[in-house]
Amino acid sequence: MKTLRIKYENLEHAGFDGGGTEILHHQGKPFTGICLIYEDAGWLSLEKEFQDGYQEGWVRLYYENGQLEEEYFMHNNIMDPDLGGAWDEEGNPR
């Protein structure tokens, strides 16, 4: 099954969970997929995975040049300290 990749502005705000993280819906149903956030200049700056409306999974931040800046894994509003990393604009580990 193909993962939905939807721009943030095309998703519906459905409140906040107990940890204060936004709950998202798509076409009236809890969203499962990847939320994409673009800067005004048109480049992808952030991806967040959602499961049944709740943020759950990978969060990835990007530099303007498209290089991955940082990624981390979220589960139950807690970042897993053993998963993820950070890089400079050339792709070198920070």
Side-chain angles (χ1 to χ4, degrees), residues 17 19-21 55-59 72-83:
D17 66 17
T21 301
Q55 184 178 321
E56 182 73 21
W58 289 101
V59 176
Y72 52 91
F73 193 86
M74 297 292 292
H75 176 67
N76 292 330
N77 285 336
I78 298 171
M79 183 175 71
D80 186 323
D82 297 323
L83 295 176

Side-chain angles (χ1 to χ4, degrees), residues 1-19:
M1 182 162 79
K2 188 174 179 179
T3 301
L4 285 178
R5 298 174 58 84
I6 307 288
K7 289 181 179 181
Y8 177 78
E9 57 266 20
N10 295 327
L11 295 167
E12 303 141 18
H13 174 78
F16 294 95
D17 66 17

Side-chain angles (χ1 to χ4, degrees), residues 29-44:
K29 297 180 181 175
F31 176 59
T32 296
I34 299 173
C35 170
L36 306 170
I37 297 177
Y38 289 86
E39 296 299 316
D40 290 339
W43 57 278
L44 176 67

